[in-house]
């Protein structure tokens, strides 16, 4: 399998292989360290918390579900999100962090688990043709848009979480 999923089965495999590992890494972090800002942020030169990384993944997952819901009803989608342009993704990430800033760590993890379950159910409900054989947004297929915002960022964030855990003696 290529590092970039090319089919429904590969996309499901990518999500299902990285997500449990990421959650296991998250579960090592105690609530008391979950807001410690020692993780490289999405805005250059910033440090964010473990909770912020969870909020980021929830935010993007929910955004993908929103895009799909709107498009499937024939409604317009304001990509990437209303009030943001593609060159403002760092600011969008900050908005996800702010949206979930008062959530308890365990509740964030539960929300992430629920969001990823919804995404897996969505991918499972669609055909390979719907995911990878049709342009869905500009030049991208729906499968690529889902991958860009699920398995790829999970891989990147997992590296950061593992580094945080190592630096804090949690491994």
């Amino acid at each position: 399998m290529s590092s970039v999923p090319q089919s429904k089965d590969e996309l499901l495999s990518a999500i299902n292989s990285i997500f449990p590992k990421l959650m296991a890494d998250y579960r090592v972090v105690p609530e008391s360290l979950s807001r410690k800002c020692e993780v490289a942020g999405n805005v250059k030169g910033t440090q964010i918390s473990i909770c912020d990384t969870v909020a980021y993944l929830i935010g993007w997952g929910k955004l993908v579900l929103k895009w799909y819901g709107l498009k499937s009803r024939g409604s317009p989608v304001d990509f990437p999100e209303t009030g943001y342009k593609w060159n403002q993704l760092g600011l969008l990430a900050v908005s996800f962090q702010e949206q979930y800033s008062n959530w308890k760590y365990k509740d964030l993890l539960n929300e992430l688990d629920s969001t990823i379950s919804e995404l897996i159910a969505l991918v499972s409900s669609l055909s390979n043709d719907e995911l990878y054989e049709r342009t869905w947004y500009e030049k991208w297929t729906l499968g690529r848009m889902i991958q860009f915002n699920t398995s790829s960022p999970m891989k990147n964030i997992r590296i950061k979480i593992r580094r945080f855990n190592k630096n804090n003696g949690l491994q």
Side-chain angles (χ1 to χ4, degrees):
M1 178 172 88
S2 147
S3 63
V4 177
Q6 302 293 318
S7 69
K8 172 182 176 172
D9 289 342
E10 289 180 6
L11 179 59
L12 286 169
S13 178
I15 295 169
N16 286 321
S17 69
I18 191 63
F19 185 63
K21 294 172 189 171
L22 177 66
M23 288 301 283
D25 292 332
Y26 275 136
R27 288 192 181 102
V28 170
V29 179
E31 175 95 30
S32 62
L33 295 179
S34 67
R35 293 275 176 199
K36 189 175 182 181
C37 292
E38 290 186 353
V39 178
N42 295 86
V43 176
K44 187 177 179 176
T46 63
Q47 295 284 306
I48 61 173
S49 71
I50 296 294
C51 286
D52 292 333
T53 67
V54 181
Y56 176 85
L57 294 173
I58 294 168
W60 276 109
K62 290 197 172 295
L63 205 49
V64 169
L65 293 166
K66 176 183 170 181
W67 295 340
Y68 181 80
L70 288 169
K71 280 194 77 141
S72 67
R73 292 189 300 275
S75 299
V77 180
D78 192 5
F79 288 101
E81 176 61 301
T82 303
Y84 297 91
K85 297 187 182 328
W86 286 112
N87 64 353
Q88 298 177 307
L89 297 182
L91 295 174
L92 183 54
V94 170
S95 78
F96 297 148
Q97 295 161 13
E98 291 171 352
Q99 180 180 352
Y100 294 98
S101 64
N102 294 320
W103 284 49
K104 291 183 180 184
Y105 185 49
K106 68 179 174 104
D107 295 333
L108 284 169
L109 293 179
N110 289 337
E111 186 70 11
L112 177 59
D113 190 51
S114 173
T115 302
I116 298 302
S117 292
E118 284 183 65
L119 285 161
I120 290 170
L122 171 63
V123 172
S124 297
S125 76
L126 299 170
S127 68
N128 192 69
D129 182 66
E130 292 169 298
L131 287 164
Y132 282 96
E133 303 301 323
R134 303 176 193 169
T135 301
W136 192 79
Y137 169 72
E138 293 185 355
K139 65 179 182 176
W140 306 109
T141 64
L142 176 57
R144 285 289 277 162
M145 293 295 285
I146 292 171
Q147 175 255 318
F148 286 148
N149 298 293
T150 59
S151 61
S152 288
M154 282 190 265
K155 284 180 187 177
N156 293 332
I157 286 176
R158 183 168 185 241
I159 292 166
K160 295 177 181 185
I161 302 312
R162 290 175 63 80
R163 185 177 304 126
F164 176 92
N165 287 353
K166 182 178 180 187
N167 291 344
N168 285 279
L170 300 174
Q171 290 184 318

